[in-house]
Amino acid sequence: MHNCKSSRNSFIDLALGEIEPARATELQAEINDCPGCHEEYESLRSTLYVSKKALRLAVRGEEFWPGYRTRLQAKLLASSARPVESGGERALSSQMWLALKTLATTSVRVPVPAALALLLICGVFFFVWRARAQVNIPPLTPVALFGAEVKTETREVPVFQEKVVTRVVYVEKKSRRSASGADQSDRTAIPNAPNTVGATGSNSATALSLAGFKPTSEVKLTIIKGSYKDEK
Amino acid sequence: MYSEDELIRQAQAGDKEAFCLLAQAYERRIYSLALHYSRERYDAEDLSQEVWLKAFAALSMFRFESSFYTWLRRITINCFLNHRRAKSYRWHSQTSESASSEDLAITNDAGSQARVLESTLQNQLVVEKVMQALAAVTPQQRLVFLLKHQEGMTYEEISKELGCSTGTVKKSVSRTIAKLREELGVNEEPESYMSCAAAGILR
């Protein structure tokens, strides 16, 4: 169905050869069938034809060009411009620049569904990454980055300490008499212990009992671990 | 006689004579574009010669990947777009002066002289109207129209060269044609216009 208004919108494109051949043939047939459109299209074509002719006519005649060439040659000779580049470096840099420019301006045609899917994947990846970042994950050490396992463990290391203990022995009279048999056995157990029980009597029990001991500074007991039985 | 490629290579090596020979092949097209863009003869000469000087300076960048004229036209377009001298002037037709004097000199009889004069005057009138129409649009619209109508470039090529959309190119062409029709009076009196055109330019 021919529509004058919509057809006329395409007249310029048709006259300038910007319409596909099939559509152009169709449009031309419409124009031929409609007197109004035909007149409009012909006037457009005439305008273009006349303007093209006029543009050609405006250009100077033959007598102009020798002088034009002379002036151009004089300007060229006067100018210091040279087309040859100063050296290979500049040519290389310009080539690199061109390559970079080409790389930067290269575009790839991607179908809309594929582009949307790609965008969606990127979005999901971003949100997952954000979610993982919010969880408190210890930072990776440089060693861990190279694949070696690092375990951190707390261990108690036994520290041996020397402890000086002063042994004070108190002897009571009653217990001394009742336990005289036991004391006798003790004296035999200690070779350096003086045999003073019979000579000093009960009053000198304290003095007798301390006589067998060395000064505290010389007695050193080292307790490593354990109960009374381990005490040396 | 050297081929174009040979001349280009010689010019790339710094041979200015070879470049002048190369320029002769395209000087009219470049000058014509410059003239219709600037709408003034002296400006057109300056502008076109500036194009040639820039082309010579940039000739080492020509890699034979496109035709020489395509490369040259790109330089021309850039040169036009950088041309900042926005002068508002009317088209002063000098065609009539030179052409009429020439034509009159080579014709002897009065009848021929009268016909030539009439034809020249008609041509002058149409050229002036076309130039006025081109003056009524913006420089970019004018350039787009010239690239389309005079150079035969496609909408897509123009949009790439000028860095604008195809829609903008179409609008520019449409706007310039509307101005041309307005100036040439096509819409008002198609019959008289046609007869005038037929008698003058469209002989």
Side-chain angles (χ1 to χ4, degrees):
Chain A
M1 187 70 185
H2 174 68
N3 182 336
C4 289
K5 197 180 174 184
S6 66
S7 292
R8 286 179 190 193
N9 287 335
S10 307
F11 279 4
I12 291 175
D13 293 346
L14 180 67
L16 294 173
E18 283 282 347
I19 289 184
E20 290 172 7
R23 173 66 188 140
T25 311
E26 193 182 320
L27 198 59
Q28 192 65 56
E30 284 181 30
I31 289 165
N32 291 337
D33 289 343
C34 175
C37 287
H38 187 265
E39 192 181 352
E40 171 72 13
Y41 183 63
E42 286 305 315
S43 77
L44 172 68
R45 281 187 61 196
S46 299
T47 305
L48 292 172
Y49 183 73
V50 169
S51 61
K52 189 172 255 182
K53 284 275 182 186
L55 292 175
R56 280 185 197 163
L57 277 173
V59 181
R60 303 234 191 184
E62 286 299 323
E63 77 287 349
F64 169 73
W65 297 105
Y68 178 86
R69 284 169 205 147
T70 311
R71 288 189 291 276
L72 176 61
Q73 199 165 10
K75 278 186 183 177
L76 270 171
L77 291 171
S79 76
S80 57
R82 277 183 62 81
V84 183
E85 293 186 33
S86 56
E89 293 166 16
R90 198 169 164 196
L92 186 68
S93 68
S94 70
Q95 277 181 1
M96 282 177 68
W97 171 245
L98 272 174
L100 278 172
K101 198 178 164 186
T102 310
L103 190 71
T105 54
T106 299
S107 60
V108 181
R109 285 177 181 271
V110 180
V112 174
L116 284 175
L118 200 66
L119 205 65
L120 192 69
I121 289 166
C122 287
V124 168
F125 181 78
F126 176 74
F127 280 111
V128 167
W129 178 76
R130 283 287 304 270
R132 283 196 65 190
Q134 282 175 0
V135 178
N136 196 9
I137 296 171
L140 291 172
T141 58
V143 178
L145 285 174
F146 290 106
E149 278 190 24
V150 176
K151 284 184 179 178
T152 307
E153 195 177 298
T154 307
R155 274 191 187 174
E156 288 187 8
V157 179
V159 178
F160 296 97
Q161 260 186 323
E162 286 191 342
K163 196 174 179 180
V164 179
V165 178
T166 305
R167 191 177 183 191
V168 182
V169 180
Y170 296 94
V171 180
E172 290 180 12
K173 283 183 179 178
K174 286 179 185 175
S175 62
R176 183 69 187 168
R177 276 181 215 121
S178 60
S180 58
D183 281 340
Q184 188 65 34
S185 64
D186 283 344
R187 273 194 297 273
T188 53
I190 303 167
N192 296 328
N195 192 4
T196 56
V197 175
T200 56
S202 61
N203 290 333
S204 60
T206 304
L208 285 172
S209 64
L210 291 173
F213 291 90
K214 291 178 181 175
T216 54
S217 59
E218 293 177 17
V219 177
K220 286 186 180 177
L221 296 176
T222 304
I223 299 167
I224 296 171
K225 209 173 179 183
S227 62
Y228 176 75
K229 288 174 182 175
D230 298 322
E231 194 175 337
K232 290 181 182 176
Chain B
M1 193 68 185
Y2 294 105
S3 71
E4 186 177 284
D5 286 2
E6 282 170 339
L7 285 175
I8 292 168
R9 286 200 174 87
Q10 285 177 19
Q12 280 179 330
D15 187 346
K16 290 181 179 177
E17 294 293 329
F19 185 74
C20 285
L21 286 173
L22 190 64
Q24 278 183 25
Y26 301 105
E27 63 191 6
R28 286 162 201 250
R29 290 178 80 173
I30 299 297
Y31 178 82
S32 175
L33 268 179
L35 176 66
H36 301 138
Y37 181 74
S38 66
R39 295 164 294 118
E40 215 276 330
R41 290 186 181 276
Y42 296 108
D43 270 4
E45 181 167 336
D46 285 348
L47 195 55
S48 60
Q49 293 200 346
E50 192 184 326
V51 169
W52 287 114
L53 289 175
K54 283 189 176 175
F56 182 67
L59 200 58
S60 61
M61 302 294 281
F62 180 63
R63 310 274 181 220
F64 297 90
E65 288 164 357
S66 63
S67 76
F68 179 69
Y69 184 68
T70 305
W71 177 80
L72 185 64
R73 190 168 56 199
R74 196 167 298 141
I75 289 178
T76 308
I77 291 167
N78 287 333
C79 199
F80 287 5
L81 293 176
N82 293 332
H83 191 63
R84 299 289 180 196
R85 286 180 294 170
K87 289 165 73 177
S88 58
Y89 40 71
R90 281 188 76 250
W91 164 254
H92 301 293
S93 177
Q94 293 156 7
T95 317
S96 59
E97 293 161 20
S98 58
S100 60
S101 58
E102 268 172 47
D103 290 341
L104 289 171
I106 58 169
T107 51
N108 293 322
D109 62 300
S112 297
Q113 281 184 11
R115 279 197 297 276
V116 168
L117 184 63
E118 189 186 349
S119 163
T120 307
L121 286 172
Q122 284 168 346
N123 288 349
Q124 182 196 343
L125 188 71
V126 177
V127 169
E128 196 161 336
K129 281 181 180 296
V130 169
M131 288 299 174
Q132 280 173 3
L134 290 178
V137 295
T138 65
Q140 173 140 344
Q141 287 172 341
R142 191 159 56 241
L143 183 58
V144 166
F145 176 75
L146 292 172
L147 292 175
K148 178 67 203 163
H149 192 44
Q150 197 174 326
E151 291 295 305
M153 290 171 76
T154 64
Y155 287 154
E156 200 165 341
E157 283 171 344
I158 297 169
S159 67
K160 275 183 187 172
E161 287 291 335
L162 299 182
C164 60
S165 68
T166 315
T168 307
V169 172
K170 280 186 183 180
K171 274 183 191 169
S172 298
V173 170
S174 175
R175 168 97 180 124
T176 313
I177 288 174
K179 273 285 165 197
L180 279 168
R181 295 180 80 172
E182 196 182 306
E183 283 293 333
L184 293 169
V186 177
N187 291 334
E188 289 85 4
E189 295 172 73
E191 291 303 319
S192 62
Y193 157 72
M194 286 303 290
S195 62
C196 167
I201 290 172
L202 305 177
R203 279 185 300 156

